[in-house]
Amino acid sequence: MDDASALSPDPIRPGIGTSGTARNWPLNSWWVAAHGSEVSEKPIMRWIMELPIALYRTESQEAVALHNRCPHRWAPLHMGEVAGDRLICPYHGMEFEPSGQCMKVPTQDNTPSAIRIRAFPVEERYGFIWIWMGEASLADPDLIPADLAYLEDPAWYNVWGYKAVNANFMQIKENVLDLTHFSFLHKNSLGVTDWNRPPKVESANGRVTYSQFFENSPLAAIYAAAANKTPGKIVNRETWGTQLSPGAHHSAVNIYDPDPEPNGLSECFARVVHLTTPVSVGKTHYYWVMARDHGGPYDVEQTRAFIGKVFAEDVTMLEATQDMARRAADQDEALEFSVSADRAGVTGRRLVAAMTDAEKMQQE
Amino acid sequence: MDDASALSPDPIRPGIGTSGTARNWPLNSWWVAAHGSEVSEKPIMRWIMELPIALYRTESQEAVALHNRCPHRWAPLHMGEVAGDRLICPYHGMEFEPSGQCMKVPTQDNTPSAIRIRAFPVEERYGFIWIWMGEASLADPDLIPADLAYLEDPAWYNVWGYKAVNANFMQIKENVLDLTHFSFLHKNSLGVTDWNRPPKVESANGRVTYSQFFENSPLAAIYAAAANKTPGKIVNRETWGTQLSPGAHHSAVNIYDPDPEPNGLSECFARVVHLTTPVSVGKTHYYWVMARDHGGPYDVEQTRAFIGKVFAEDVTMLEATQDMARRAADQDEALEFSVSADRAGVTGRRLVAAMTDAEKMQQE
Amino acid sequence: MDDASALSPDPIRPGIGTSGTARNWPLNSWWVAAHGSEVSEKPIMRWIMELPIALYRTESQEAVALHNRCPHRWAPLHMGEVAGDRLICPYHGMEFEPSGQCMKVPTQDNTPSAIRIRAFPVEERYGFIWIWMGEASLADPDLIPADLAYLEDPAWYNVWGYKAVNANFMQIKENVLDLTHFSFLHKNSLGVTDWNRPPKVESANGRVTYSQFFENSPLAAIYAAAANKTPGKIVNRETWGTQLSPGAHHSAVNIYDPDPEPNGLSECFARVVHLTTPVSVGKTHYYWVMARDHGGPYDVEQTRAFIGKVFAEDVTMLEATQDMARRAADQDEALEFSVSADRAGVTGRRLVAAMTDAEKMQQE
């Protein structure tokens, strides 16, 4: 017998975000294209904002991002090879420089200068390759949030991961701007159940930050392991999170123990970084990093497994949420009802929407 | 080597019914949402008429149907838990009553009365949960066809099943309104090959009924097993079928043996119920029941297997038929040519179309 | 961890050819519907130019092509049986002649003459079933390119194959009109690396032909095997290829050895035939034949495996190329930049476009 709960209408919209089917992201911002360890002399391809992007490194290890479509017959350039600094088309051998300029057409002596592809500004920082999909002249590397410098600080441990998500990038950002879902969505995995009041929210300079202090709070197992303490011990917990840019967010959990064990830590700091890059309106590349300042031995595999489990709960929820919208006949009548705890999320959404709208208006 | 017969164009239309891509079903009617045994305190989700529906039971075992999309951030409510009579959102813990009213927002003291979701009238009858997707004030339980009372009659055996079908619900209904396809589509499975003339057709009160009497007809194996007689024995067979409503149809096979064996039956009655509920224009939930009045032992598994086999022939044909339309460039020029045997089917289609059209007109 | 390179936007267009989403093929031409060995008294179905086509043979072994959709209730006729010369609908048993005329409705005595389906002209020649999808009165069998007669010549060996391709048929044709891709796409499989200058191109009578002579060229392993010679031996190689019609292309490799071994061949001729039939704008049936005039033993399986490997490189490239276009947001801005080596391909494309456009204009 078939499963009646498995039969659903075909999706009507290709994806849904907070602003319908149109893009709800600005192009003029830095977005994570890949982790640095993923890019080498062997080119790879990534879809970013509905464009195919070829990524590779030159001989001097500089990362390069080119539009992954040969202007001759549209072959995906990443299937070709890199020779020196050039990317060679796998189909007819045309050679492209990091600038996107074609330097050689093997079957003829002259190379028309009009044969060129778009090159995208890239910067490698904090372990990641950041890409600028908009107007190249605006691509100021200083716009990459310097707040993430601890990712390159040897005094911090970190572990990164990636998840392909069938949901709009803004859904992921709003999810991490309202952690009151801990008590429900993650009640069996995180074990943090005291996040039952909205945090303080502040917004300035295109950023939004929530913060909350939990005094005399029992230490959840997840934080106890990081701090090398006994789960359930009464400590103070400081939390905050900041939407740094449309593509970057990080959050903090700082444990303060007024009564540390002999040789125990009185402070323990952790950060979670969420780097979300749109593939299309309904799909997102989701890179994350879990970082900790110091303390006992840091079990990379265990951390990755644990974060993987918790984030899978988020992703399952976000994908189901989008599915409720994509397939439903009444999707256009579906208004969201926001409550107090949504202040940070709604502010974050408006900040990104304002950037996006301003950019779109300028293009018209 | 690939299989050239397997390469087909992408479907152009999401589904095709008898009236194009628009819905061809009335909302103001009772439709089967689930079998009663499928609904419990653990909520489930069903797509019905392109809306996601959460189904669960209250403490007093009342079935409840709610729009399965939290008005806060669109989470699928069926992924949450039931506490008492309330359905709790799995994402941020909002609590909803069977009426659809939100009674609690965990992160704040007040609960805005505007937070509510649509509740759909449901009735549990004849083993099934019936749902009313239209105007709630019109949901009169007496409109559920009382003809199906034998499904709760202890003097009758019955077995039910379910099939997910990639075809419009009206295709299934027309299929069971013209059983002259027995001789071709089911010639190797049913073994009923004498249905070669159109039946008598009568229509009244929004229903259509066909009927046909087969005198001195050899008993097909399927009916022989039910009647505990020898296959091929010459008996009389009375058949009829009625489209009871847009979502319900039942048919009868009554065997009369003028010369019963010692201790044999002189009469044996069977009914097949077809309960078809649109998921979307091109997909249908298909619940069926096979019932028999009395007689020898009733082998549930054997009956389910046999019906399953025969119905799979129908479904394969209906899905292929829809596929011929969905993918073809000339689908708009494809007119159907009806013959005498289609009278019941065409009448049934017109009855449903009239209800649907009247309803749509009223909404404008 | 998921694979970030695997996440792509949903395709926006159903397929892309050289003229957008509209058909870029003429109907008034012969196209290969199947290899003769695939068609028998047991009907099969093929999608050709977005129409479902039933193919079967009559008692006298004549191939028949009918629109595979019963005009009664749209059942796929190929699921039925052939009795004598008639195709019988699997659903309600209507019987159709090779002309498409319905001859019997089982449930009634009279058969309305209006019940008929479209029959398509077919011709069996050179091992294949050719179909004419346009105006039947124009279907002159002499329009099937007689150049392919060697496929029925007992002095030639041949082996055929089939590949389902997710790319426009014209992409495949242009691929075989510019073999300068040998040096890049097939550099590891074919081993022919000296095709580095554009060939001579001539066009007349709706055909285009390229030709190129390689003097004192080292014999590639693929040709050495066919000619039973030592790989790398210095010989002369004559190559040419002709687009015979929108659906047919063949190419030649003729080896001339001025210094043959004792008992060795001084000449060896090979032909590759490419028969491409649109399923839809983005999908193509691709039949091929590899033929050789004479020489040492002809290993059919080895030839099929080798050609299969080389063609798989082409198909992978063509499908990826189409994918770059289907999914990209900037597909409409994607102009192709042609170079000298594209002359034959561009001419071939224009010839087909001219036929198609003339035909469309006539229909308006």
Side-chain angles (χ1 to χ4, degrees):
Chain A
M1 195 148 60
D2 293 340
D3 173 10
S5 299
L7 193 63
S8 62
D10 291 311
I12 294 168
R13 296 186 170 178
I16 189 99
T18 50
S19 57
T21 50
R23 73 169 163 99
N24 61 337
W25 57 81
L27 304 174
N28 289 322
S29 189
W30 289 104
W31 300 87
V32 162
H35 188 263
S37 66
E38 296 176 294
V39 179
S40 70
E41 293 77 12
K42 193 174 156 32
I44 59 172
M45 196 263 276
R46 292 286 155 90
W47 283 93
I48 296 178
M49 300 177 182
E50 299 185 319
L51 292 183
I53 306 294
L55 297 170
Y56 72 96
R57 288 188 191 275
T58 61
E59 281 183 320
S60 58
Q61 296 302 306
E62 294 280 320
V64 177
L66 294 175
H67 193 308
N68 191 37
R69 192 171 64 198
C70 182
H72 172 229
R73 284 296 177 271
W74 299 11
L77 295 171
H78 80 285
M79 292 168 68
E81 288 167 12
V82 172
D85 291 354
R86 294 184 185 171
L87 183 54
I88 304 181
C89 179
Y91 200 179
H92 299 92
M94 296 189 185
E95 302 187 6
F96 296 90
E97 277 210 321
S99 69
Q101 182 63 53
C102 181
M103 305 303 284
K104 185 177 175 187
V105 176
T107 49
Q108 61 195 48
D109 296 326
N110 68 313
T111 302
S113 64
I115 309 187
R116 53 179 303 126
I117 49 176
R118 185 172 170 196
F120 297 85
V122 283
E123 284 289 324
E124 185 157 12
R125 198 168 293 185
Y126 313 138
F128 291 92
I129 311 288
W130 302 74
I131 193 168
W132 186 274
M133 299 295 290
E135 169 55 40
S137 65
L138 304 174
D140 178 359
D142 288 347
L143 295 172
I144 299 174
D147 315 61
L148 300 176
Y150 56 83
L151 293 179
E152 291 181 333
D153 183 342
W156 286 66
Y157 299 100
N158 74 63
V159 53
W160 69 278
Y162 169 83
K163 239 180 137 46
V165 182
N166 285 312
N168 187 268
F169 84 106
M170 207 54 225
Q171 287 179 267
I172 304 175
K173 296 190 81 72
E174 293 184 41
N175 182 63
V176 294
L177 278 168
D178 172 18
L179 302 185
T180 67
H181 71 266
F182 277 17
S183 304
F184 297 93
L185 187 58
H186 304 306
K187 77 175 160 194
N188 298 320
S189 55
L190 273 183
V192 176
T193 57
D194 56 358
W195 212 323
N196 298 324
R197 277 297 171 268
K200 194 172 106 187
V201 176
E202 287 168 299
S203 176
N205 303 321
R207 294 174 165 204
V208 57
T209 295
Y210 69 79
S211 59
Q212 205 150 354
F213 194 83
F214 297 84
E215 212 170 341
N216 298 325
S217 167
L219 195 57
I222 159 75
Y223 305 134
N228 206 14
K229 293 176 180 295
T230 313
K233 187 177 189 191
I234 299 302
V235 297
N236 297 321
R237 195 168 95 252
E238 180 187 27
T239 62
W240 53 256
T242 299
Q243 177 170 302
L244 299 166
S245 73
H249 174 104
H250 71 156
S251 60
V253 180
N254 299 332
I255 305 295
Y256 300 98
D257 187 350
D259 182 27
E261 307 82 349
N263 305 324
L265 302 171
S266 60
E267 291 182 345
C268 176
F269 298 162
R271 300 282 180 276
V272 188
V273 186
H274 305 266
L275 304 161
T276 47
T277 304
V279 173
S280 57
V281 173
K283 296 184 183 177
T284 304
H285 297 297
Y286 188 1
Y287 285 90
W288 56 263
V289 190
M290 175 83 194
R292 212 185 60 209
D293 61 337
H294 56 72
Y298 192 63
D299 189 323
V300 168
E301 281 319 308
Q302 198 179 314
T303 304
R304 180 171 283 141
F306 181 79
I307 296 285
K309 185 185 163 190
V310 173
F311 282 22
E313 292 171 341
D314 291 299
V315 168
T316 298
M317 177 56 66
L318 297 175
E319 294 186 339
T321 296
Q322 173 168 282
D323 222 44
M324 289 301 100
R326 286 179 73 171
R327 299 179 190 275
D330 66 343
Q331 55 184 268
D332 290 321
E333 303 154 35
L335 298 175
E336 289 171 320
F337 198 102
S338 294
V339 296
S340 310
D342 292 309
R343 191 134 67 94
V346 168
T347 305
R349 184 197 299 190
R350 283 185 189 146
L351 289 171
V352 174
M355 280 181 74
T356 310
D357 292 346
E359 200 177 285
K360 285 181 179 175
M361 215 168 294
Q362 228 163 9
Q363 287 171 345
E364 277 159 19
Chain B
M1 196 148 58
D2 294 340
D3 173 12
S5 299
L7 193 64
S8 63
D10 291 312
I12 294 168
R13 297 185 169 178
I16 189 100
T18 50
S19 58
T21 50
R23 75 169 162 100
N24 62 335
W25 57 81
L27 303 174
N28 289 322
S29 188
W30 290 103
W31 299 88
V32 163
H35 189 261
S37 66
E38 294 176 294
V39 179
S40 71
E41 293 78 10
K42 193 173 155 32
I44 59 172
M45 195 263 275
R46 292 287 154 88
W47 283 94
I48 297 178
M49 299 176 184
E50 298 183 319
L51 292 183
I53 306 294
L55 297 169
Y56 71 97
R57 288 188 191 276
T58 63
E59 283 185 320
S60 59
Q61 296 302 304
E62 293 280 321
V64 176
L66 294 176
H67 193 307
N68 191 37
R69 191 171 64 197
C70 182
H72 172 228
R73 284 296 176 272
W74 299 13
L77 296 170
H78 80 285
M79 289 168 69
E81 287 167 13
V82 172
D85 290 354
R86 294 184 186 170
L87 183 54
I88 303 181
C89 179
Y91 199 0
H92 299 92
M94 296 188 183
E95 302 187 6
F96 296 90
E97 278 210 322
S99 70
Q101 182 63 54
C102 181
M103 303 303 284
K104 185 176 175 186
V105 177
T107 48
Q108 60 194 46
D109 296 328
N110 69 312
T111 303
S113 63
I115 308 187
R116 54 179 301 127
I117 48 178
R118 187 172 170 195
F120 296 85
V122 282
E123 284 290 323
E124 186 157 12
R125 199 167 292 185
Y126 313 137
F128 291 91
I129 312 288
W130 302 73
I131 194 168
W132 186 274
M133 300 294 290
E135 169 55 42
S137 66
L138 302 175
D140 178 0
D142 288 347
L143 294 173
I144 298 174
D147 315 61
L148 300 176
Y150 55 85
L151 292 180
E152 292 183 332
D153 184 341
W156 285 66
Y157 299 100
N158 75 62
V159 53
W160 70 277
Y162 168 82
K163 238 178 138 47
V165 182
N166 284 312
N168 186 268
F169 84 107
M170 207 55 225
Q171 286 179 267
I172 304 175
K173 296 191 80 73
E174 292 184 42
N175 181 62
V176 294
L177 279 167
D178 173 18
L179 301 187
T180 66
H181 71 265
F182 277 18
S183 304
F184 296 92
L185 187 58
H186 305 305
K187 77 177 160 193
N188 297 320
S189 55
L190 273 182
V192 178
T193 56
D194 56 357
W195 212 323
N196 297 325
R197 278 295 171 269
K200 194 172 105 184
V201 176
E202 288 168 299
S203 177
N205 303 320
R207 294 175 165 202
V208 57
T209 295
Y210 69 78
S211 59
Q212 205 149 353
F213 195 83
F214 296 84
E215 213 171 341
N216 297 325
S217 166
L219 194 58
I222 160 75
Y223 305 134
N228 205 14
K229 292 178 182 293
T230 313
K233 187 178 188 190
I234 300 302
V235 297
N236 297 321
R237 193 168 98 252
E238 180 188 25
T239 61
W240 54 257
T242 299
Q243 177 169 300
L244 299 165
S245 74
H249 174 104
H250 71 156
S251 61
V253 179
N254 299 331
I255 305 295
Y256 300 98
D257 186 348
D259 181 28
E261 306 82 348
N263 305 323
L265 302 169
S266 62
E267 290 182 348
C268 176
F269 298 162
R271 299 283 180 278
V272 188
V273 186
H274 306 266
L275 304 161
T276 46
T277 303
V279 172
S280 57
V281 174
K283 296 184 184 178
T284 304
H285 296 299
Y286 187 1
Y287 285 91
W288 56 263
V289 191
M290 174 83 194
R292 213 186 58 209
D293 62 338
H294 56 69
Y298 192 61
D299 188 325
V300 167
E301 282 319 308
Q302 196 179 317
T303 303
R304 179 171 284 140
F306 181 79
I307 295 285
K309 183 183 163 190
V310 173
F311 281 23
E313 292 172 341
D314 291 300
V315 168
T316 299
M317 177 56 65
L318 296 175
E319 293 186 341
T321 295
Q322 172 167 283
D323 222 43
M324 289 299 101
R326 286 178 74 171
R327 298 180 191 274
D330 66 343
Q331 55 184 268
D332 290 319
E333 304 154 34
L335 298 175
E336 290 172 320
F337 198 104
S338 295
V339 296
S340 309
D342 293 308
R343 189 131 70 93
V346 168
T347 305
R349 181 198 300 191
R350 283 185 188 146
L351 289 170
V352 174
M355 282 180 74
T356 309
D357 292 347
E359 201 177 283
K360 286 182 179 174
M361 216 167 295
Q362 229 163 8
Q363 287 172 346
E364 279 160 17
Chain C
M1 195 148 58
D2 294 340
D3 173 11
S5 300
L7 194 63
S8 62
D10 292 312
I12 295 169
R13 297 185 168 178
I16 188 98
T18 50
S19 58
T21 51
R23 73 168 164 100
N24 62 336
W25 57 81
L27 303 174
N28 289 321
S29 187
W30 289 103
W31 300 87
V32 162
H35 189 262
S37 66
E38 296 176 294
V39 180
S40 72
E41 292 77 13
K42 193 172 157 33
I44 60 172
M45 195 261 277
R46 292 286 155 89
W47 283 93
I48 297 177
M49 299 176 184
E50 299 184 320
L51 292 182
I53 305 293
L55 297 170
Y56 71 96
R57 289 188 191 275
T58 63
E59 282 185 320
S60 58
Q61 295 304 304
E62 294 278 322
V64 176
L66 294 175
H67 193 309
N68 191 36
R69 191 169 67 196
C70 182
H72 172 228
R73 283 297 175 271
W74 297 13
L77 295 170
H78 80 285
M79 291 168 67
E81 287 168 12
V82 171
D85 290 354
R86 293 183 186 172
L87 183 54
I88 303 180
C89 180
Y91 199 0
H92 299 92
M94 296 188 184
E95 302 187 5
F96 296 88
E97 279 210 321
S99 70
Q101 181 63 52
C102 180
M103 303 303 284
K104 186 176 175 186
V105 177
T107 49
Q108 61 194 45
D109 295 328
N110 67 312
T111 302
S113 63
I115 309 186
R116 54 179 301 127
I117 48 177
R118 185 171 170 197
F120 296 84
V122 282
E123 285 288 323
E124 187 158 10
R125 197 166 294 184
Y126 312 137
F128 291 91
I129 312 289
W130 301 74
I131 193 167
W132 185 274
M133 299 296 289
E135 169 56 40
S137 66
L138 302 175
D140 178 359
D142 287 347
L143 294 173
I144 298 174
D147 316 61
L148 300 176
Y150 56 83
L151 293 179
E152 291 182 334
D153 182 341
W156 286 65
Y157 299 100
N158 73 64
V159 52
W160 69 277
Y162 168 83
K163 239 180 138 45
V165 182
N166 285 312
N168 186 269
F169 84 106
M170 207 55 224
Q171 287 178 266
I172 305 175
K173 296 189 81 71
E174 293 184 41
N175 182 63
V176 294
L177 278 168
D178 172 18
L179 302 186
T180 66
H181 71 265
F182 277 18
S183 304
F184 297 92
L185 186 58
H186 305 306
K187 74 177 161 193
N188 297 320
S189 56
L190 273 183
V192 177
T193 56
D194 56 357
W195 212 322
N196 298 325
R197 278 295 172 268
K200 193 172 107 185
V201 177
E202 288 168 299
S203 177
N205 303 319
R207 294 176 165 203
V208 57
T209 295
Y210 69 79
S211 58
Q212 204 148 353
F213 194 83
F214 296 84
E215 213 170 342
N216 297 326
S217 166
L219 195 57
I222 159 75
Y223 306 134
N228 206 14
K229 292 177 183 294
T230 312
K233 187 177 188 191
I234 300 302
V235 298
N236 297 321
R237 195 167 95 251
E238 179 186 29
T239 62
W240 53 256
T242 299
Q243 178 168 300
L244 299 165
S245 74
H249 174 103
H250 71 157
S251 60
V253 179
N254 299 331
I255 305 296
Y256 300 97
D257 186 350
D259 180 29
E261 307 83 348
N263 306 323
L265 302 170
S266 61
E267 291 183 346
C268 175
F269 297 162
R271 299 283 180 277
V272 188
V273 186
H274 306 266
L275 304 161
T276 47
T277 304
V279 172
S280 57
V281 173
K283 296 183 184 178
T284 304
H285 296 298
Y286 187 2
Y287 285 91
W288 56 264
V289 190
M290 174 82 193
R292 213 185 59 210
D293 61 338
H294 56 70
Y298 192 62
D299 188 324
V300 167
E301 282 319 308
Q302 197 180 316
T303 303
R304 178 171 285 142
F306 181 80
I307 296 284
K309 184 184 163 190
V310 174
F311 282 23
E313 293 172 340
D314 291 299
V315 168
T316 298
M317 177 56 66
L318 296 174
E319 294 185 341
T321 295
Q322 173 167 282
D323 222 43
M324 289 301 100
R326 287 180 72 173
R327 299 180 190 273
D330 66 343
Q331 54 185 269
D332 290 321
E333 303 154 35
L335 298 175
E336 289 171 320
F337 199 102
S338 294
V339 295
S340 309
D342 293 309
R343 190 132 68 93
V346 169
T347 305
R349 184 197 299 191
R350 283 184 189 147
L351 288 171
V352 174
M355 281 181 73
T356 309
D357 292 347
E359 201 178 284
K360 286 182 177 174
M361 215 168 293
Q362 227 164 12
Q363 285 171 348
E364 277 160 18

